[in-house]
Amino acid sequence: MNSASPCATCPKHDSGFCGAILGNSQTGSNDSSDWQNHFVVAAGRQALASQQATPDVYVLCHGWAFRFLQLPDGRRQILHFLLPGDLFSISLLFRDRVHFSVKALTPIQVSAMKRTEVQSKIMRNPATALPSLAQSCAGQTETLEKVIAALGLCSAEERIASLFLYLMKRIADQTVIRENRYPFPLRQQDIADAVGLTAVHVSRILGTFRERGIADLSNGVLEVLNIRELQRLSPLN
Amino acid sequence: MNSASPCATCPKHDSGFCGAILGNSQTGSNDSSDWQNHFVVAAGRQALASQQATPDVYVLCHGWAFRFLQLPDGRRQILHFLLPGDLFSISLLFRDRVHFSVKALTPIQVSAMKRTEVQSKIMRNPATALPSLAQSCAGQTETLEKVIAALGLCSAEERIASLFLYLMKRIADQTVIRENRYPFPLRQQDIADAVGLTAVHVSRILGTFRERGIADLSNGVLEVLNIRELQRLSPLN
DNA sequence: CGGTTAATTGATGTGGGTCAAAAGCAGTGG
DNA sequence: CCACTGCTTTTGACCCACATCAATTAACCG
């Protein structure tokens, strides 16, 4: 869990988006230390600041983080949760600054790669990279638009249920789930900032979920007791 | 304003996204009738239905439309407004079905192009198409995320002010604006569905904007009386 | 064991929803 | 030219989901 660990400890580089776009390191030099390196961010610390220019593209290798937007007056909106294997943002592939910030929920390990290198890797094989890039972009747009619908149309209960179901699916793609217990390192304040509510109200809703036997979130674990009911509460998919 | 009009009546094909990605028709055959054609949709009619598969990619050539998502129970969320020159969605470049629907606000004219043709056009020149595609994707993500922030963080007033400012910028890119009067073919219900409010409440807010001398929306025209105040009301940029 | 941060619970306030009626304003057609 | 219809906007009265404020408890930690 310290910096400068080799890529071998970073099991997600060959899955999903990164695998398809960046390719496996079979081709080219297998000593990648010249154009990529790793670093670590403590839980609760910011990993990337809004408007900050950077020559790199980042992939989350270990831990949880989130992208967010902050208004001058301090209000904060969480845009997306980052899990291992996720690019911080596709924007960084072709832009050098972003409009959001990234914060670590747990201790995280990040791989930074030179944008120029990644670009030329992509250009070397556009026939596979381009569709994969477009697919990934379309998928991201779809999830963002579902969030918009959730915030615009749904009640507090429905929003929280949607968030749970969405994250459950993503977590299950990463980890083996036993006894319907999902690792879930979000504070109630984070949930609130993601779904546009107050922490107090999130607490109340979670309370009712508990006493209705739907789900129990405590100590960083989400235990799903009645998934049917949870799905019934979420009008979007 | 009838179907089968040639592309020459469609002035937006060579600007912005479409110009960069699709290129001008200098190269290749200049008879494009075999792989693209035009059609017209009346105001208020749907131009594309959610989940419907299509071999085409669509560009709005004339008029206003919007993309939206509808829940089984009828609630509707507007995701994005389409102006002349806009692709219905980047998703359609590499997918044959979409998760949203499109509806015409005014009578519209649409150009449909075979996805396969567009793809090979792109592949013929990946060095320009790819960055442009990525840029456009990044830009869209940024605006969607601002919408999320608006819905999650902002009051009714702030949301409407943000929507106005956003659309004003886009309209000004298309039309010459005189006397701060913007063409604005949205019903109050549409505004409501875009910012997550009720039509009644939108009416009230517009009323206060009017009596406070900020803006006056009537008869399809938005007249901006005090843009500074409008900007002050919108916390996101 | 005190000190800090997170979660719970209660009391009260309010922004925006809901319901309903009325008024404006095309069309449409006799 | 006027009555009829359907749609949009406006306005008023009332309600409720969620926010705000504040106090208590629980968990954690050096």
Side-chain angles (χ1 to χ4, degrees):
Chain A
M1 187 78 58
N2 229 320
S3 68
S5 45
C7 203
T9 63
C10 196
K12 295 295 170 183
H13 266 196
D14 55 355
S15 76
F17 179 82
C18 296
I21 292 206
L22 307 178
N24 291 331
S25 33
Q26 306 287 30
T27 58
S29 79
N30 46 11
D31 173 18
S32 56
S33 60
D34 52 333
W35 62 274
Q36 82 168 263
N37 62 58
H38 286 219
F39 62 93
V40 163
V41 178
R45 313 292 297 195
Q46 207 156 307
L48 183 61
S50 172
Q51 307 302 342
Q52 161 193 336
T54 159
D56 292 320
V57 161
Y58 302 99
V59 177
L60 183 61
C61 299
H62 186 83
W64 286 54
F66 60 82
R67 291 203 331 239
F68 68 102
L69 231 112
Q70 195 147 23
L71 301 190
D73 61 18
R75 288 182 277 181
R76 185 182 77 164
Q77 176 68 42
I78 293 182
L79 301 168
H80 188 66
F81 290 95
L82 300 171
L83 268 58
D86 285 353
L87 218 43
F88 275 19
S89 164
I90 302 189
S91 309
L92 277 179
L93 288 176
F94 289 88
R95 291 185 175 187
D96 71 343
R97 47 186 80 233
V98 283
H99 60 288
F100 54 80
S101 308
V102 173
K103 189 168 180 179
L105 272 170
T106 67
I108 60 173
Q109 192 176 342
V110 180
S111 162
M113 294 170 276
K114 286 262 159 291
R115 177 180 14 264
T116 52
E117 288 295 335
V118 176
Q119 282 181 354
S120 55
K121 242 185 203 297
I122 292 176
M123 284 310 185
R124 220 167 290 145
N125 204 343
T128 54
L130 211 150
S132 147
L133 190 63
Q135 285 294 340
S136 151
C137 163
Q140 168 179 292
T141 298
E142 187 170 336
T143 70
L144 287 179
E145 290 180 345
K146 280 189 182 164
V147 172
I148 292 179
L151 295 183
L153 302 173
C154 292
S155 71
E157 248 182 42
E158 293 173 321
R159 293 184 210 179
I160 295 179
S162 299
L163 177 65
F164 280 5
L165 288 167
Y166 168 70
L167 285 177
M168 283 160 57
K169 199 180 302 175
R170 298 198 59 202
I171 299 166
D173 287 344
Q174 300 239 151
T175 321
V176 180
I177 303 301
R178 285 181 316 241
E179 297 168 355
N180 294 314
R181 294 166 60 85
Y182 297 76
F184 210 86
L186 312 198
R187 328 257 108 243
Q188 294 187 353
Q189 182 64 57
D190 301 321
I191 299 177
D193 290 344
V195 297
L197 297 170
T198 350
V200 231
H201 201 239
V202 169
S203 170
R204 288 190 227 272
I205 302 270
L206 293 186
T208 74
F209 279 7
R210 221 167 274 136
E211 73 193 17
R212 287 195 277 164
I214 297 175
D216 182 345
L217 173 55
S218 17
N219 307 318
V221 174
L222 174 67
E223 181 171 9
V224 178
L225 305 165
N226 183 345
I227 194 165
R228 306 300 292 272
E229 190 59 12
L230 203 56
Q231 286 163 337
R232 220 187 44 73
L233 282 181
S234 163
L236 345 143
N237 194 353
Chain B
M1 187 79 61
N2 230 322
S3 68
S5 45
C7 204
T9 64
C10 197
K12 295 295 172 184
H13 266 195
D14 54 357
S15 76
F17 179 82
C18 297
I21 292 205
L22 307 178
N24 292 333
S25 33
Q26 304 288 29
T27 57
S29 79
N30 47 11
D31 172 19
S32 57
S33 60
D34 52 332
W35 61 276
Q36 83 169 261
N37 62 59
H38 286 219
F39 63 93
V40 163
V41 178
R45 314 290 299 193
Q46 206 155 308
L48 182 62
S50 170
Q51 306 301 342
Q52 161 193 335
T54 159
D56 292 320
V57 161
Y58 303 98
V59 177
L60 183 61
C61 298
H62 186 83
W64 286 53
F66 59 82
R67 292 202 331 239
F68 67 102
L69 233 115
Q70 195 146 24
L71 302 190
D73 60 21
R75 287 181 278 182
R76 186 181 77 164
Q77 176 69 41
I78 293 182
L79 302 168
H80 189 66
F81 290 95
L82 300 172
L83 267 58
D86 286 353
L87 219 43
F88 275 20
S89 163
I90 303 189
S91 309
L92 277 178
L93 288 177
F94 289 89
R95 291 185 174 186
D96 71 344
R97 48 186 80 234
V98 282
H99 60 288
F100 54 79
S101 308
V102 172
K103 190 168 178 176
L105 272 169
T106 68
I108 60 173
Q109 193 175 340
V110 180
S111 162
M113 295 170 276
K114 286 263 157 293
R115 176 179 15 264
T116 52
E117 288 294 335
V118 176
Q119 281 180 356
S120 54
K121 242 185 201 300
I122 292 176
M123 284 309 185
R124 220 167 290 146
N125 204 342
T128 54
L130 210 150
S132 148
L133 190 63
Q135 285 293 340
S136 152
C137 162
Q140 167 178 293
T141 299
E142 188 171 336
T143 70
L144 288 179
E145 289 180 344
K146 279 188 184 164
V147 172
I148 291 179
L151 295 183
L153 302 173
C154 292
S155 70
E157 249 183 37
E158 294 173 319
R159 294 185 209 181
I160 294 179
S162 299
L163 177 65
F164 281 4
L165 288 168
Y166 168 69
L167 285 178
M168 284 161 56
K169 199 180 302 174
R170 298 199 59 203
I171 299 166
D173 287 345
Q174 300 241 150
T175 321
V176 180
I177 302 302
R178 286 180 317 241
E179 297 169 354
N180 294 315
R181 295 166 59 84
Y182 297 76
F184 211 85
L186 312 198
R187 326 259 105 241
Q188 294 187 355
Q189 182 65 59
D190 300 322
I191 299 178
D193 290 344
V195 297
L197 296 170
T198 343
V200 228
H201 202 240
V202 169
S203 171
R204 289 190 225 273
I205 303 269
L206 293 186
T208 74
F209 279 7
R210 220 168 275 137
E211 73 191 19
R212 286 195 278 164
I214 298 175
D216 182 345
L217 173 54
S218 16
N219 309 317
V221 173
L222 174 68
E223 181 172 9
V224 178
L225 305 165
N226 184 345
I227 195 168
R228 307 299 294 273
E229 189 60 10
L230 204 57
Q231 286 164 337
R232 220 186 43 73
L233 281 180
S234 162
L236 348 140
N237 196 350

